[in-house]
Amino acid sequence: MVARPARLTPPVECIRLYDADAGLDGVIAIHSTALGPGAGGCRFWSYPSRDEALADALRLAEGMSYKNALAALPFGGAKAVLRRPAGAFDRAKLFRAFGRVVEGLGGLYVTAEDVGTSVDDMQEVAGATRHVAGLPSAEGRAGGDPSPWTAKGVFESMRVAARTVLDSDLAGLTVAVQGTGNVGADLCRRLADAGARLVIADPNPLRRDRLAAILGARVVGVDEIASVQAEIFAPCALGGALTPEVVRGLKAKLVCGAANNQLAAPAVADLLMNRGIAYAPDYVVNAGGIISVSAEYLGEDESDVAYRVAEIAPRVAALLDRATREGRSPALVADEMAEEVIVGAQRVAA
Ligand code: NAD
């Protein structure tokens, strides 16, 4: 297995978030500001410890630097991670307290929704700062829930990758979708419209079973989804879905999904390649959400978002082609391309 070179630069800054009265406990990690303010969503999750929350924030912020660079956005990478309080709490108060910290950073960090946060939460944040996106928008303007844009980018990437890798349209193919949340459910609807067969898993029975009933999807357990008979595996839950063990059990020939940080370790990219499984790198295919968020923050129109989201799939096709030609994993090729952009901006700034 080829050792992957270390990724670029340690985080520029970590801001500890703590307000006992508001139930706020977490961290903002700003990984890079070479291309512009650090932009990345706010995750709200039950982390068992502060160390785990910090580790997640650092990993996610790094991922945002690479994602924003490759999507050609004028933003660096950052992420906020908030620990969900164990007992009862005032949600609006908590997110207003978070907003005050974001405001105090004076635009160094721009926040938005991520796993566990909603448009309502971002509206509370917006009561304290203007450095927030993912808010309801006027007709024709960029804004609102970024999930549909993320799902669109993943879907179009999957369509292009299926042609490149499987020499097939999506119609008639089986796609195993892990996680039927905001993005996963939207992706499932697009896949069903395109004539794909669906197998889905989610620990939340309400969302999962309703979707299965509407789309005629087969439901399997969360432990089975990665190893079911399918041409495509779409991780759309949390990170780290692709462990060495999962890769050994994969029957799919293509992995393409919305989840951030799908590779449990960088070396898993080589395991996929050695098994002949094509991997459409997560941060390349799931850039639709941050494209929408950044356009909203910059005061652009929905048509600007549509234009940039349409660029994702051709980028994925070019990346898969280049990886095949060079006999390297698409993850490594994507990282190199993103690093070229970030290092180039650092040189200009120096
Ligand atoms: P979400 O919280 O709406 O959905 C996640 C779903 O995954 C939930 O329904 C949850 O029950 C399910 N889940 C959790 N553990 C699971 C498991 N082991 N097996 C199967 N399902 C499981 O989140 P989302 O907004 O749909 O985001 C999904 C993923 O995509 C996340 O990794 C997120 O970081 C990434 N992402 C989202 C966006 C966006 O615009 N929302 C943008 C880029 C990346």
Side-chain angles (χ1 to χ4, degrees), residues 107-142:
L108 193 64
Y109 168 59
V110 180
T111 197
E113 293 91 348
D114 190 63
V115 173
T117 53
S118 65
V119 174
D120 285 352
D121 297 327
M122 290 309 122
Q123 283 183 296
E124 292 299 340
V125 174
T129 183
R130 66 186 177 82
H131 305 297
V132 53
L135 304 167
S137 60
E139 184 72 23
R141 306 292 287 169

PDB file of all heavy atoms in Angstrom, residues 107-142:
ATOM      1  N   GLY A 107     -15.961  37.891  10.956  1.00  0.00           N
ATOM      2  CA  GLY A 107     -15.970  37.446   9.557  1.00  0.00           C
ATOM      3  C   GLY A 107     -14.863  36.470   9.218  1.00  0.00           C
ATOM      4  O   GLY A 107     -14.757  36.029   8.069  1.00  0.00           O
ATOM      5  N   LEU A 108     -14.060  36.103  10.198  1.00  0.00           N
ATOM      6  CA  LEU A 108     -13.010  35.101   9.965  1.00  0.00           C
ATOM      7  C   LEU A 108     -13.633  33.731   9.718  1.00  0.00           C
ATOM      8  O   LEU A 108     -13.075  32.884   9.027  1.00  0.00           O
ATOM      9  CB  LEU A 108     -12.099  35.034  11.198  1.00  0.00           C
ATOM     10  CG  LEU A 108     -10.776  34.297  11.078  1.00  0.00           C
ATOM     11  CD1 LEU A 108      -9.866  35.005  10.077  1.00  0.00           C
ATOM     12  CD2 LEU A 108     -10.088  34.191  12.440  1.00  0.00           C
ATOM     13  N   TYR A 109     -14.830  33.517  10.272  1.00  0.00           N
ATOM     14  CA  TYR A 109     -15.548  32.246  10.122  1.00  0.00           C
ATOM     15  C   TYR A 109     -16.990  32.517   9.700  1.00  0.00           C
ATOM     16  O   TYR A 109     -17.664  33.371  10.279  1.00  0.00           O
ATOM     17  CB  TYR A 109     -15.533  31.468  11.443  1.00  0.00           C
ATOM     18  CG  TYR A 109     -16.480  30.285  11.456  1.00  0.00           C
ATOM     19  CD1 TYR A 109     -16.348  29.251  10.518  1.00  0.00           C
ATOM     20  CD2 TYR A 109     -17.512  30.185  12.381  1.00  0.00           C
ATOM     21  CE1 TYR A 109     -17.230  28.169  10.512  1.00  0.00           C
ATOM     22  CE2 TYR A 109     -18.392  29.109  12.389  1.00  0.00           C
ATOM     23  CZ  TYR A 109     -18.238  28.108  11.445  1.00  0.00           C
ATOM     24  OH  TYR A 109     -19.107  27.043  11.425  1.00  0.00           O
ATOM     25  N   VAL A 110     -17.447  31.771   8.677  1.00  0.00           N
ATOM     26  CA  VAL A 110     -18.837  31.868   8.211  1.00  0.00           C
ATOM     27  C   VAL A 110     -19.498  30.515   8.455  1.00  0.00           C
ATOM     28  O   VAL A 110     -18.991  29.483   8.010  1.00  0.00           O
ATOM     29  CB  VAL A 110     -18.895  32.199   6.701  1.00  0.00           C
ATOM     30  CG1 VAL A 110     -20.342  32.290   6.231  1.00  0.00           C
ATOM     31  CG2 VAL A 110     -18.151  33.488   6.408  1.00  0.00           C
ATOM     32  N   THR A 111     -20.618  30.524   9.164  1.00  0.00           N
ATOM     33  CA  THR A 111     -21.270  29.268   9.533  1.00  0.00           C
ATOM     34  C   THR A 111     -22.532  29.000   8.711  1.00  0.00           C
ATOM     35  O   THR A 111     -22.995  29.856   7.951  1.00  0.00           O
ATOM     36  CB  THR A 111     -21.587  29.261  11.051  1.00  0.00           C
ATOM     37  OG1 THR A 111     -21.853  27.927  11.457  1.00  0.00           O
ATOM     38  CG2 THR A 111     -22.773  30.155  11.389  1.00  0.00           C
ATOM     39  N   ALA A 112     -23.062  27.792   8.861  1.00  0.00           N
ATOM     40  CA  ALA A 112     -24.307  27.376   8.181  1.00  0.00           C
ATOM     41  C   ALA A 112     -24.753  26.060   8.816  1.00  0.00           C
ATOM     42  O   ALA A 112     -24.157  25.614   9.787  1.00  0.00           O
ATOM     43  CB  ALA A 112     -24.064  27.200   6.683  1.00  0.00           C
ATOM     44  N   GLU A 113     -25.774  25.418   8.220  1.00  0.00           N
ATOM     45  CA  GLU A 113     -26.251  24.139   8.753  1.00  0.00           C
ATOM     46  C   GLU A 113     -25.244  23.019   8.509  1.00  0.00           C
ATOM     47  O   GLU A 113     -24.476  23.054   7.557  1.00  0.00           O
ATOM     48  CB  GLU A 113     -27.556  23.695   8.066  1.00  0.00           C
ATOM     49  CG  GLU A 113     -28.759  24.536   8.338  1.00  0.00           C
ATOM     50  CD  GLU A 113     -28.927  25.653   7.325  1.00  0.00           C
ATOM     51  OE1 GLU A 113     -27.967  25.902   6.546  1.00  0.00           O
ATOM     52  OE2 GLU A 113     -29.983  26.293   7.317  1.00  0.00           O
ATOM     53  N   ASP A 114     -25.293  22.033   9.365  1.00  0.00           N
ATOM     54  CA  ASP A 114     -24.625  20.750   9.121  1.00  0.00           C
ATOM     55  C   ASP A 114     -25.468  19.697   9.852  1.00  0.00           C
ATOM     56  O   ASP A 114     -26.606  19.994  10.243  1.00  0.00           O
ATOM     57  CB  ASP A 114     -23.168  20.785   9.629  1.00  0.00           C
ATOM     58  CG  ASP A 114     -22.380  19.563   9.165  1.00  0.00           C
ATOM     59  OD1 ASP A 114     -22.206  19.399   7.945  1.00  0.00           O
ATOM     60  OD2 ASP A 114     -21.972  18.750  10.012  1.00  0.00           O
ATOM     61  N   VAL A 115     -24.918  18.521  10.041  1.00  0.00           N
ATOM     62  CA  VAL A 115     -25.675  17.454  10.704  1.00  0.00           C
ATOM     63  C   VAL A 115     -26.177  17.957  12.067  1.00  0.00           C
ATOM     64  O   VAL A 115     -25.401  18.510  12.855  1.00  0.00           O
ATOM     65  CB  VAL A 115     -24.784  16.198  10.897  1.00  0.00           C
ATOM     66  CG1 VAL A 115     -25.508  15.143  11.728  1.00  0.00           C
ATOM     67  CG2 VAL A 115     -24.371  15.641   9.555  1.00  0.00           C
ATOM     68  N   GLY A 116     -27.459  17.823  12.298  1.00  0.00           N
ATOM     69  CA  GLY A 116     -28.031  18.178  13.597  1.00  0.00           C
ATOM     70  C   GLY A 116     -28.486  19.622  13.717  1.00  0.00           C
ATOM     71  O   GLY A 116     -29.032  20.005  14.756  1.00  0.00           O
ATOM     72  N   THR A 117     -28.262  20.445  12.689  1.00  0.00           N
ATOM     73  CA  THR A 117     -28.737  21.832  12.759  1.00  0.00           C
ATOM     74  C   THR A 117     -29.675  22.125  11.590  1.00  0.00           C
ATOM     75  O   THR A 117     -29.593  21.482  10.545  1.00  0.00           O
ATOM     76  CB  THR A 117     -27.567  22.847  12.753  1.00  0.00           C
ATOM     77  OG1 THR A 117     -26.720  22.589  11.636  1.00  0.00           O
ATOM     78  CG2 THR A 117     -26.747  22.756  14.030  1.00  0.00           C
ATOM     79  N   SER A 118     -30.530  23.135  11.798  1.00  0.00           N
ATOM     80  CA  SER A 118     -31.601  23.410  10.833  1.00  0.00           C
ATOM     81  C   SER A 118     -31.614  24.891  10.449  1.00  0.00           C
ATOM     82  O   SER A 118     -30.903  25.709  11.028  1.00  0.00           O
ATOM     83  CB  SER A 118     -32.947  23.065  11.478  1.00  0.00           C
ATOM     84  OG  SER A 118     -33.154  23.952  12.562  1.00  0.00           O
ATOM     85  N   VAL A 119     -32.476  25.196   9.489  1.00  0.00           N
ATOM     86  CA  VAL A 119     -32.670  26.598   9.084  1.00  0.00           C
ATOM     87  C   VAL A 119     -33.109  27.429  10.302  1.00  0.00           C
ATOM     88  O   VAL A 119     -32.626  28.542  10.516  1.00  0.00           O
ATOM     89  CB  VAL A 119     -33.713  26.686   7.946  1.00  0.00           C
ATOM     90  CG1 VAL A 119     -34.030  28.142   7.618  1.00  0.00           C
ATOM     91  CG2 VAL A 119     -33.221  25.965   6.696  1.00  0.00           C
ATOM     92  N   ASP A 120     -33.988  26.871  11.140  1.00  0.00           N
ATOM     93  CA  ASP A 120     -34.439  27.591  12.342  1.00  0.00           C
ATOM     94  C   ASP A 120     -33.253  27.944  13.241  1.00  0.00           C
ATOM     95  O   ASP A 120     -33.174  29.046  13.788  1.00  0.00           O
ATOM     96  CB  ASP A 120     -35.426  26.731  13.147  1.00  0.00           C
ATOM     97  CG  ASP A 120     -36.791  26.680  12.480  1.00  0.00           C
ATOM     98  OD1 ASP A 120     -36.996  27.434  11.500  1.00  0.00           O
ATOM     99  OD2 ASP A 120     -37.633  25.878  12.916  1.00  0.00           O
ATOM    100  N   ASP A 121     -32.345  26.984  13.405  1.00  0.00           N
ATOM    101  CA  ASP A 121     -31.168  27.247  14.251  1.00  0.00           C
ATOM    102  C   ASP A 121     -30.345  28.392  13.668  1.00  0.00           C
ATOM    103  O   ASP A 121     -29.874  29.276  14.390  1.00  0.00           O
ATOM    104  CB  ASP A 121     -30.281  25.992  14.353  1.00  0.00           C
ATOM    105  CG  ASP A 121     -30.999  24.832  15.015  1.00  0.00           C
ATOM    106  OD1 ASP A 121     -31.837  25.093  15.899  1.00  0.00           O
ATOM    107  OD2 ASP A 121     -30.721  23.672  14.649  1.00  0.00           O
ATOM    108  N   MET A 122     -30.160  28.376  12.332  1.00  0.00           N
ATOM    109  CA  MET A 122     -29.339  29.423  11.709  1.00  0.00           C
ATOM    110  C   MET A 122     -30.027  30.779  11.799  1.00  0.00           C
ATOM    111  O   MET A 122     -29.371  31.818  11.850  1.00  0.00           O
ATOM    112  CB  MET A 122     -29.020  29.063  10.248  1.00  0.00           C
ATOM    113  CG  MET A 122     -28.057  27.891  10.130  1.00  0.00           C
ATOM    114  SD  MET A 122     -26.560  28.079  11.139  1.00  0.00           S
ATOM    115  CE  MET A 122     -26.629  26.626  12.179  1.00  0.00           C
ATOM    116  N   GLN A 123     -31.363  30.769  11.867  1.00  0.00           N
ATOM    117  CA  GLN A 123     -32.062  32.047  12.054  1.00  0.00           C
ATOM    118  C   GLN A 123     -31.777  32.615  13.452  1.00  0.00           C
ATOM    119  O   GLN A 123     -31.658  33.822  13.616  1.00  0.00           O
ATOM    120  CB  GLN A 123     -33.552  31.877  11.808  1.00  0.00           C
ATOM    121  CG  GLN A 123     -33.829  31.804  10.307  1.00  0.00           C
ATOM    122  CD  GLN A 123     -35.298  31.697   9.988  1.00  0.00           C
ATOM    123  OE1 GLN A 123     -35.938  30.719  10.334  1.00  0.00           O
ATOM    124  NE2 GLN A 123     -35.837  32.704   9.328  1.00  0.00           N
ATOM    125  N   GLU A 124     -31.666  31.737  14.425  1.00  0.00           N
ATOM    126  CA  GLU A 124     -31.269  32.201  15.772  1.00  0.00           C
ATOM    127  C   GLU A 124     -29.855  32.768  15.725  1.00  0.00           C
ATOM    128  O   GLU A 124     -29.577  33.814  16.300  1.00  0.00           O
ATOM    129  CB  GLU A 124     -31.334  31.050  16.785  1.00  0.00           C
ATOM    130  CG  GLU A 124     -32.723  30.539  17.089  1.00  0.00           C
ATOM    131  CD  GLU A 124     -33.646  31.609  17.689  1.00  0.00           C
ATOM    132  OE1 GLU A 124     -33.143  32.615  18.219  1.00  0.00           O
ATOM    133  OE2 GLU A 124     -34.869  31.433  17.608  1.00  0.00           O
ATOM    134  N   VAL A 125     -28.952  32.050  15.032  1.00  0.00           N
ATOM    135  CA  VAL A 125     -27.561  32.513  14.914  1.00  0.00           C
ATOM    136  C   VAL A 125     -27.551  33.898  14.251  1.00  0.00           C
ATOM    137  O   VAL A 125     -26.817  34.803  14.667  1.00  0.00           O
ATOM    138  CB  VAL A 125     -26.715  31.502  14.090  1.00  0.00           C
ATOM    139  CG1 VAL A 125     -25.315  32.045  13.839  1.00  0.00           C
ATOM    140  CG2 VAL A 125     -26.646  30.153  14.801  1.00  0.00           C
ATOM    141  N   ALA A 126     -28.417  34.059  13.234  1.00  0.00           N
ATOM    142  CA  ALA A 126     -28.453  35.320  12.477  1.00  0.00           C
ATOM    143  C   ALA A 126     -28.929  36.491  13.336  1.00  0.00           C
ATOM    144  O   ALA A 126     -28.685  37.646  13.001  1.00  0.00           O
ATOM    145  CB  ALA A 126     -29.350  35.170  11.258  1.00  0.00           C
ATOM    146  N   GLY A 127     -29.580  36.187  14.474  1.00  0.00           N
ATOM    147  CA  GLY A 127     -29.970  37.244  15.395  1.00  0.00           C
ATOM    148  C   GLY A 127     -28.759  37.892  16.050  1.00  0.00           C
ATOM    149  O   GLY A 127     -28.852  38.993  16.587  1.00  0.00           O
ATOM    150  N   ALA A 128     -27.617  37.183  16.000  1.00  0.00           N
ATOM    151  CA  ALA A 128     -26.414  37.688  16.677  1.00  0.00           C
ATOM    152  C   ALA A 128     -25.286  38.031  15.713  1.00  0.00           C
ATOM    153  O   ALA A 128     -24.345  38.723  16.087  1.00  0.00           O
ATOM    154  CB  ALA A 128     -25.925  36.648  17.692  1.00  0.00           C
ATOM    155  N   THR A 129     -25.348  37.514  14.486  1.00  0.00           N
ATOM    156  CA  THR A 129     -24.246  37.769  13.548  1.00  0.00           C
ATOM    157  C   THR A 129     -24.734  37.748  12.104  1.00  0.00           C
ATOM    158  O   THR A 129     -25.707  37.055  11.782  1.00  0.00           O
ATOM    159  CB  THR A 129     -23.112  36.726  13.708  1.00  0.00           C
ATOM    160  OG1 THR A 129     -22.048  37.064  12.822  1.00  0.00           O
ATOM    161  CG2 THR A 129     -23.586  35.303  13.413  1.00  0.00           C
ATOM    162  N   ARG A 130     -24.018  38.449  11.234  1.00  0.00           N
ATOM    163  CA  ARG A 130     -24.358  38.366   9.801  1.00  0.00           C
ATOM    164  C   ARG A 130     -23.464  37.347   9.094  1.00  0.00           C
ATOM    165  O   ARG A 130     -23.612  37.102   7.901  1.00  0.00           O
ATOM    166  CB  ARG A 130     -24.264  39.738   9.148  1.00  0.00           C
ATOM    167  CG  ARG A 130     -22.880  40.308   9.101  1.00  0.00           C
ATOM    168  CD  ARG A 130     -22.854  41.734   8.576  1.00  0.00           C
ATOM    169  NE  ARG A 130     -21.502  42.248   8.616  1.00  0.00           N
ATOM    170  CZ  ARG A 130     -20.579  42.016   7.686  1.00  0.00           C
ATOM    171  NH1 ARG A 130     -20.870  41.287   6.636  1.00  0.00           N
ATOM    172  NH2 ARG A 130     -19.368  42.509   7.798  1.00  0.00           N
ATOM    173  N   HIS A 131     -22.527  36.733   9.848  1.00  0.00           N
ATOM    174  CA  HIS A 131     -21.618  35.775   9.215  1.00  0.00           C
ATOM    175  C   HIS A 131     -22.204  34.365   9.261  1.00  0.00           C
ATOM    176  O   HIS A 131     -21.632  33.442   9.831  1.00  0.00           O
ATOM    177  CB  HIS A 131     -20.242  35.846   9.877  1.00  0.00           C
ATOM    178  CG  HIS A 131     -19.677  37.230   9.874  1.00  0.00           C
ATOM    179  ND1 HIS A 131     -19.376  37.895   8.700  1.00  0.00           N
ATOM    180  CD2 HIS A 131     -19.412  38.093  10.875  1.00  0.00           C
ATOM    181  CE1 HIS A 131     -18.929  39.113   8.984  1.00  0.00           C
ATOM    182  NE2 HIS A 131     -18.938  39.261  10.295  1.00  0.00           N
ATOM    183  N   VAL A 132     -23.390  34.254   8.689  1.00  0.00           N
ATOM    184  CA  VAL A 132     -24.129  32.994   8.691  1.00  0.00           C
ATOM    185  C   VAL A 132     -24.910  32.908   7.382  1.00  0.00           C
ATOM    186  O   VAL A 132     -25.356  33.914   6.850  1.00  0.00           O
ATOM    187  CB  VAL A 132     -25.081  32.918   9.920  1.00  0.00           C
ATOM    188  CG1 VAL A 132     -25.988  34.117  10.017  1.00  0.00           C
ATOM    189  CG2 VAL A 132     -25.901  31.635   9.913  1.00  0.00           C
ATOM    190  N   ALA A 133     -25.030  31.678   6.879  1.00  0.00           N
ATOM    191  CA  ALA A 133     -25.832  31.442   5.668  1.00  0.00           C
ATOM    192  C   ALA A 133     -26.721  30.219   5.914  1.00  0.00           C
ATOM    193  O   ALA A 133     -26.709  29.654   7.005  1.00  0.00           O
ATOM    194  CB  ALA A 133     -24.921  31.253   4.464  1.00  0.00           C
ATOM    195  N   GLY A 134     -27.470  29.837   4.882  1.00  0.00           N
ATOM    196  CA  GLY A 134     -28.429  28.753   5.067  1.00  0.00           C
ATOM    197  C   GLY A 134     -29.730  29.298   5.643  1.00  0.00           C
ATOM    198  O   GLY A 134     -30.472  28.602   6.324  1.00  0.00           O
ATOM    199  N   LEU A 135     -30.005  30.578   5.350  1.00  0.00           N
ATOM    200  CA  LEU A 135     -31.220  31.244   5.839  1.00  0.00           C
ATOM    201  C   LEU A 135     -32.248  31.293   4.705  1.00  0.00           C
ATOM    202  O   LEU A 135     -31.872  31.220   3.532  1.00  0.00           O
ATOM    203  CB  LEU A 135     -30.881  32.670   6.275  1.00  0.00           C
ATOM    204  CG  LEU A 135     -29.779  32.783   7.334  1.00  0.00           C
ATOM    205  CD1 LEU A 135     -29.301  34.221   7.458  1.00  0.00           C
ATOM    206  CD2 LEU A 135     -30.290  32.277   8.676  1.00  0.00           C
ATOM    207  N   PRO A 136     -33.530  31.439   5.034  1.00  0.00           N
ATOM    208  CA  PRO A 136     -34.531  31.549   3.969  1.00  0.00           C
ATOM    209  C   PRO A 136     -34.192  32.743   3.071  1.00  0.00           C
ATOM    210  O   PRO A 136     -33.689  33.762   3.554  1.00  0.00           O
ATOM    211  CB  PRO A 136     -35.838  31.805   4.726  1.00  0.00           C
ATOM    212  CG  PRO A 136     -35.582  31.328   6.111  1.00  0.00           C
ATOM    213  CD  PRO A 136     -34.129  31.521   6.376  1.00  0.00           C
ATOM    214  N   SER A 137     -34.447  32.598   1.782  1.00  0.00           N
ATOM    215  CA  SER A 137     -34.030  33.666   0.868  1.00  0.00           C
ATOM    216  C   SER A 137     -35.204  34.140   0.024  1.00  0.00           C
ATOM    217  O   SER A 137     -36.209  33.443  -0.120  1.00  0.00           O
ATOM    218  CB  SER A 137     -32.938  33.144  -0.060  1.00  0.00           C
ATOM    219  OG  SER A 137     -33.445  32.058  -0.784  1.00  0.00           O
ATOM    220  N   ALA A 138     -35.033  35.324  -0.552  1.00  0.00           N
ATOM    221  CA  ALA A 138     -36.057  35.852  -1.458  1.00  0.00           C
ATOM    222  C   ALA A 138     -36.026  35.052  -2.758  1.00  0.00           C
ATOM    223  O   ALA A 138     -35.001  34.455  -3.104  1.00  0.00           O
ATOM    224  CB  ALA A 138     -35.767  37.327  -1.735  1.00  0.00           C
ATOM    225  N   GLU A 139     -37.167  35.035  -3.462  1.00  0.00           N
ATOM    226  CA  GLU A 139     -37.304  34.331  -4.738  1.00  0.00           C
ATOM    227  C   GLU A 139     -36.114  34.634  -5.682  1.00  0.00           C
ATOM    228  O   GLU A 139     -35.790  35.802  -5.898  1.00  0.00           O
ATOM    229  CB  GLU A 139     -38.624  34.797  -5.375  1.00  0.00           C
ATOM    230  CG  GLU A 139     -39.021  34.129  -6.662  1.00  0.00           C
ATOM    231  CD  GLU A 139     -39.484  32.692  -6.448  1.00  0.00           C
ATOM    232  OE1 GLU A 139     -39.912  32.347  -5.339  1.00  0.00           O
ATOM    233  OE2 GLU A 139     -39.391  31.920  -7.419  1.00  0.00           O
ATOM    234  N   GLY A 140     -35.476  33.602  -6.170  1.00  0.00           N
ATOM    235  CA  GLY A 140     -34.398  33.791  -7.150  1.00  0.00           C
ATOM    236  C   GLY A 140     -33.032  34.042  -6.543  1.00  0.00           C
ATOM    237  O   GLY A 140     -32.021  33.994  -7.240  1.00  0.00           O
ATOM    238  N   ARG A 141     -33.004  34.331  -5.244  1.00  0.00           N
ATOM    239  CA  ARG A 141     -31.719  34.571  -4.593  1.00  0.00           C
ATOM    240  C   ARG A 141     -31.188  33.273  -4.006  1.00  0.00           C
ATOM    241  O   ARG A 141     -31.949  32.362  -3.665  1.00  0.00           O
ATOM    242  CB  ARG A 141     -31.876  35.596  -3.451  1.00  0.00           C
ATOM    243  CG  ARG A 141     -32.514  36.888  -3.873  1.00  0.00           C
ATOM    244  CD  ARG A 141     -31.637  37.688  -4.792  1.00  0.00           C
ATOM    245  NE  ARG A 141     -30.504  38.304  -4.104  1.00  0.00           N
ATOM    246  CZ  ARG A 141     -29.490  38.881  -4.731  1.00  0.00           C
ATOM    247  NH1 ARG A 141     -29.443  38.898  -6.056  1.00  0.00           N
ATOM    248  NH2 ARG A 141     -28.516  39.436  -4.050  1.00  0.00           N
ATOM    249  N   ALA A 142     -29.849  33.170  -3.884  1.00  0.00           N
ATOM    250  CA  ALA A 142     -29.260  31.986  -3.264  1.00  0.00           C
ATOM    251  C   ALA A 142     -29.626  31.973  -1.788  1.00  0.00           C
ATOM    252  O   ALA A 142     -29.752  33.025  -1.165  1.00  0.00           O
ATOM    253  CB  ALA A 142     -27.742  32.028  -3.422  1.00  0.00           C
TER     254      ALA A 142
END
